[in-house]
Amino acid sequence: MRKKMIAGNWKMNMTPSKAKELVTLLEPSIDIPDVDVVLCVPAIDIMPVTDIVKGTNIKVGAENMYYEEKGAYTGELSAEMLTDAGVSYVILGHSERRQYFHEDDAIINKKIKKALEHNITPIACCGETLGQRECNVTLNVIRKQIQEMFEGIDAFDAADCIIAYEPIWAIGTGKVATAEQAQEVCHSIREVMKDLYDNITADKVRVLYGGSMNEGNALSLLTQPDIDGGLIGGASLKMEFAKIVGSAHTNVAV
Ligand code: PEP
């Protein structure tokens, strides 16, 4: 039985003062032992947020990380810096990083390997554009992304990674994939993991859906057999996030 996970992606929002206010308000309702709750926050918010959630079940994640160990890479953050600051998850390969910062699957692969080396759990993102969906190539696109992101990673490590299926046309647009569309792709991600590795790995890896998930649609998505949770952008900046965590919790209890 895979444990449900709800991860927030704050993107470039929330000053440290605002971050402290929001997490202080959210904390009592999102500290739930049977759901893994992760707040992926801008680098400058990591330490203040870590301080607030200390002693709870809530974990802190980063939104990006560099693949080199250390050195002359102005502006970048290393895995060691993140772990020392209290980070246990990192979002890698988000479509905004692919689009605006030209990250490709080969770069993301190096980042995943570096995160794993430092015991940071990668939340590796994949997803198709609207054009690709309309051309019926979604499953091919996803297969290629997963194959390249997981190149050279063994089954033991792969099973511990989180994969987030985020159709690009659904991110920040208010257009959510239907539960059937999301389930179809999340199921096919598990099939790809079966082909790349084995049944045990495919069964163990957690697959999240992301793209305009909110309190209204969370339950129908989270009750799909291959959807193990959500990666939440806009709604993670509000108290609504607690409602989404609540939907995952209800789903566990059922
Ligand atoms: C995201 O950016 O990962 C995301 C899912 O955003 P939103 O929920 O705002 O669509």
Side-chain angles (χ1 to χ4, degrees):
M1 176 85 177
R2 295 179 295 267
K3 190 173 180 186
K4 285 273 188 278
M5 167 176 286
I6 301 293
N9 173 16
W10 285 8
K11 313 193 184 193
M12 198 173 75
N13 295 295
M14 293 286 167
T15 60
S17 330
K18 287 193 176 139
K20 282 192 238 171
E21 272 172 39
L22 178 66
V23 177
T24 305
L25 285 173
L26 276 173
E27 194 226 276
S29 36
I30 62 171
D31 181 17
I32 295 176
D34 55 20
V35 178
D36 282 336
V37 176
V38 185
L39 300 174
C40 298
V41 304
I44 198 158
D45 297 334
I46 288 171
M47 294 191 64
V49 171
T50 301
D51 272 351
I52 298 173
V53 302
K54 205 169 274 165
T56 72
N57 296 293
I58 304 161
K59 301 282 185 234
V60 178
E63 297 177 12
N64 185 31
M65 188 204 85
Y66 198 48
Y67 56 73
E68 292 291 354
E69 193 60 35
K70 56 153 66 173
Y73 304 102
T74 304
E76 293 294 328
L77 288 173
S78 71
E80 189 187 10
M81 289 169 184
L82 295 180
T83 50
D84 192 61
V87 161
S88 36
Y89 291 85
V90 61
I91 298 175
L92 296 173
H94 191 279
S95 62
E96 287 150 18
R97 300 245 19 122
R98 292 172 185 263
Q99 182 182 351
Y100 303 127
F101 303 98
H102 313 295
E103 288 191 14
D104 59 18
D105 292 312
I107 292 174
I108 299 158
N109 173 255
K110 288 192 203 175
K111 291 186 173 190
I112 293 176
K113 287 176 174 159
K114 183 54 74 178
L116 289 166
E117 231 179 80
H118 286 263
N119 291 319
I120 302 177
T121 304
I123 302 175
C125 302
C126 59
E128 81 287 4
T129 62
L130 186 57
Q132 289 165 334
R133 176 158 282 269
E134 286 172 349
C135 291
N136 281 325
V137 293
T138 298
L139 300 185
N140 295 342
V141 169
I142 301 293
R143 174 172 286 272
K144 185 167 179 292
Q145 287 175 334
I146 303 273
Q147 270 170 345
E148 292 181 6
M149 286 197 295
F150 282 86
E151 174 73 43
I153 294 170
D154 67 24
F156 182 79
D157 280 340
D160 279 341
C161 291
I162 312 289
I163 300 174
Y165 166 54
E166 299 212 302
I168 296 169
W169 48 270
I171 296 182
T173 57
K175 281 187 207 154
V176 66
T178 63
E180 293 71 28
Q181 286 172 324
Q183 162 59 22
E184 183 194 21
V185 179
C186 291
H187 177 74
S188 86
I189 288 172
R190 222 174 283 292
E191 291 296 308
V192 174
M193 294 305 271
K194 206 181 279 180
D195 295 346
L196 292 179
Y197 299 102
D198 47 47
N199 284 342
I200 295 171
T201 309
D203 201 43
K204 196 171 167 218
V205 73
R206 286 188 287 179
V207 183
L208 312 183
Y209 167 79
S212 299
M213 196 187 270
N214 59 36
E215 60 180 306
N217 57 36
L219 193 59
S220 70
L221 289 157
L222 295 171
T223 44
Q224 298 302 309
D226 287 295
I227 301 181
D228 304 314
L231 181 55
I232 322 294
S236 70
L237 299 168
K238 310 182 232 175
M239 290 307 287
E240 184 178 358
F241 187 66
K243 297 256 173 61
I244 299 174
V245 171
S247 298
H249 178 57
T250 312
N251 186 218
V252 169
V254 161

